[in-house]
Amino acid sequence: MMSSDSTSTHLVFLLLLLLGCLHLETIKLTSGNEDLNVGCVEKDRKVLIEFKEGLNDPSGWLSSWVGEDCCRWRGIGCNKKTGRVIKLDLTNPLCIYQLFYTEEGDTQVFNMSCLSGKINPSLLLLKHLNYLDLSMINFGGISISEFIGSLENMKYLNLSNACFAKKIPPHLGNLSHLHYLDLHGQSNVCDFYGIYADNLKWLSGLSSLKHLDMGNVNLSKVGADWLQAFTMLPPSLSELHLPRCRLDSLPISLPFVNFSSSLSVIDLSGNNFNSSLPLWLLNISSLANLNLSGSSLRGPIPDAFVDMISLQELDLSDNPFKVGEIPRTLGTLCKLKSLYLFHTNITGEITEFVDSLSGCTNSSSLEMLDLGGNQLSGHLPDSLGHLKKLTSLQLARNSFWGSIPASIGSLSFLKELDLSINPMNGTIPESVGQLSELVMLYLFDNSWEGIISEVHFLNLTRLEQIVISLTSPKKSLVFNARNEWIPPFSLKSIQMENVQTGRSFPAWLRTQKELVEIHLNNVGISDIVPDWFWKLPDIMFLNLSNNQIRGTLPSWMKLPDIEYLDLSNNQIRGTLPSWMNFSNAYEVYLSSNLFSGPIPVNIGETMPRLVVLDLYGNFLNGSIPYSIGKLKNLATLILSNNQFSGELPGFWKGLQSLQMLLLNNNNLDGELPSSLRNCTKLDTIDLGENRFSGIVPKWIGESILSLSILRLRSNLFSGNIHRHLCHLSNLRILDVANNTLSGVVPHCLGNLTALVSGSYNYSYLLNEIILVVAKGGVLEYSDTRVGLVRSIDLSNNNLTGEIPEEITGLLRLQTLNLSMNGLTGKIPEKIGNLKKVETLDLSKNQLSGSIPQSLSSLTFLTHLNLSHNNLWGKIPSGNQLQTLTDPSIYEGNQALCGPPLVAKRLEEPSQGPPSIEDKDDENGSAMLWFYISMALGFIVGFWGVCGTLLIKKTWRHAYFRFFDNMKDRLFVIIAVNVTRLKRKMALVRNQGGG
Ligand SMILES: *[C@@H]1O[C@H](CO)[C@@H](O)[C@H](O)[C@H]1NC(C)=O
Ligand SMILES: *[C@@H]1O[C@H](CO)[C@@H](O)[C@H](O)[C@H]1NC(C)=O
């Protein structure tokens, strides 16, 4: 899934690395030549050769280790006078590159590019060695050699990310000259190993230490006095890194505060302290940078922060503080440059805090303020404008409301402004146009009102991204720009979903030559697309859906880089000619337009990467081209509501990624090709409203075991309902209505697990209210409901026999429609077990006997139809039944009596097969289906893009390559396939490389 772009980015990066290495090598060689170089001492050379023999070197990193003068070998440093080896540095940047830029956990790549092997004890003979870097070598889970503790001249020791395991040898404590010790635990590729310590007394021997990193080292066995061991470190210590060490206590007080005046960095992130922030930490006056991210701190931030007068950076992100507000006193830290309180569960307003910050003499030093992902509310204070040095203001995902204060215009260094995902319901001031350094403007998912005009962008010469998409389609924000406007910026991304930009196509876009991403969906465009637009060279993501775009797509249209194209819900007409040669396209949505003619026959060759193809609701005709069978990544194929005809090609063997196949409402015919059984990942099949014939194949129940929706409604299928269908344990919707199926209703339908119990795993993804039309009326199913629709519809066939008792075991079933068949016998006595049933239609059969009393216990029942059977006796009463007062639901029965039937009366027994009617009902179901498929289409699309992005690092890096200037606390916006479900923004906090 790597785009050619990302490949080339990576190649460039690799080349740079290589050049870098060569360059270093050159310098080393020259300096070696210049000096009075006595050359390498022979016995050291032998040791190195022996050492090399213990290593595997698949990339040839040590290929320079030949010849007499080992001082010239890569990674070796010698004392120029004595010729003794003093430095051994085997860091391999290629290996680092691979580790961080390839998929996580790709051990194979790691093994192919990195050194691996053993440490030969003869290393000990390098008596003068003072610098040893063995980081990133894969030692495959051996323990750190004890003898390293005997290399007594060692000043620099780096054993990080080297796949060591077991206990750290206390012998390291003998290295009394050591300045730098890095034991940072292994990276993702060897996480099945791990080093630990159960005792840290040896630390006290490191009497020259300045820098200690024991990240990822398991210190959980050290016990509660772990901290004491670290206080034994010498006063020279300036950096202490203990992230993710499984420390579970943070002492409130410290017996000996030995942390000296030089300690400037403490990293205790990713532990699980579950305690409040201790004051001793705050008493380390030299501290410039404190990181407690993700350490499960409790309680509010102590006021004592105010004493840390020299604190420059405070990072308390990802700590679920007990609910508390931002202490006002934080605002008096006039030297603070960065304040990270991302995702800390703080509440309240920020007015006081910002007011006090703005009281600093010479103004506050704050450059970076991240309060994102909290429960902050209220409006934004005017005093924000006093934080003159701000370069980044992150207030996303809170509950701020109101307008942006006009004072924001005085933040003349501001590069990033993120107010996304708040209920901001006021206006955006024109003074935003003064932020001449602004690069990113993220205002999406708010409810802005008013007008944005050219003035709002007056001096924004550096702006690259505008994301103002609104949550609701109500037209509350207008974007007003003249056609002749020449903006000062050159955008890479513009996202203005639901903002009203006017009826004519925004002509000023013509000046934007670097655009990569455009989302102008539902912006009110009612126009044809001008020719120049189709020539924008760099577009990768284009969404113009939900407008009234007219005209045709020109035959010369070129979007060479397009990966995501959504033009759905417009009025574009014409054919889909061979211009559809978007060779990089992953997702193409052209649904609900006026396209006509056939699908280009070569589509499988011209768009080989397609994952989603959605042509729903056009006037396309002809047969389904054979080349679609070549789209081996295709996961979603939607051709519904067109005029396609002919038989299904037998190309399915190549479509093994297919998960959703929607071909409903066309003129397709013939039998189902047996090669369809190769699409074993299919989750949803809708072939309804066609003229397919033959039997419902047995292999559906044998091969497509993940199937959850099978809809074959309104075709010419005949034969029995095969028992194999009962093997489909995920089946939630079985709709074979309006066919000519015969035989009995299989008893085993009672085994359909998904209808008996369990939840459905799609549901949690849906954030939208989805309209589901069912039961003859419009219902609103909220997110959780739509994923849970469960129904069996066998109506209007020729089924005979009794209603199997087992069907009453389908405790989750919501709709059961068996009407218009020839069913006989009684209604199962336990019908009342179907506790979730909302719709029960048994009408137009030949059922006899009385109506079971248990029916009255169905509390969700809103639609009942028992008409036109041979039922008799008293209609049960009570509960929900009482509310179903329409007498027609019981009419046409032999001898039913009691309310809601007006008076006791006898009716003619109904005879013969029931007539076909209820067209409305059918439409209702079709709509139901339509909305369900929309929802599912969204999900598949969502995972098609976002799922991949979340999982594949490489791809993610390329995808957001122009979002990457915010280092590790970057918010990344993924605008996803949402048109058909209105829209959806996913916000992903990029953890990449961290
Ligand atoms: C945040 O605070 C709320 C109470 O307002 C609490 O229910 C929730 O669990 C807290 N979140 C975390 C991550 O602690
Ligand atoms: C904006 O939202 C706030 C908080 O919900 C509300 O009090 C205020 O009246 C709203 N303002 C407007 C103009 O709708």
Side-chain angles (χ1 to χ4, degrees), residues 399-402 423-426 447 449 474:
S399 301
F400 293 116
W401 50 267
M424 297 287 290
N425 54 2
S447 306
E449 296 194 339
K474 75 168 199 220

Side-chain angles (χ1 to χ4, degrees), residues 944-974:
V945 178
C946 297
T948 327
L949 290 174
L950 294 178
I951 294 155
K952 287 209 168 185
K953 240 181 177 176
T954 330
W955 177 217
R956 191 170 69 206
H957 278 277
Y959 215 75
F960 301 111
R961 64 192 185 282
F962 55 82
F963 288 77
D964 63 4
N965 55 352
M966 287 182 67
K967 304 206 178 94
D968 55 343
R969 67 189 39 259
L970 166 71
F971 282 104
V972 178
I973 296 166
I974 305 175

Side-chain angles (χ1 to χ4, degrees), residues 237 259-265 283-289 310-311:
L237 193 71
F259 281 149
S260 74
S261 50
S262 40
L263 197 58
S264 69
V265 177
N283 285 334
I284 304 168
S285 58
S286 56
L287 212 56
N289 178 327
S310 57
L311 194 68

Side-chain angles (χ1 to χ4, degrees), residues 799-803 821-827 845-848:
L799 301 173
T800 51
E802 301 198 351
I803 299 175
N821 278 292
L823 299 175
T824 52
K826 298 171 80 174
I827 299 175
N845 279 291
Q846 290 153 39
L847 299 169
S848 55

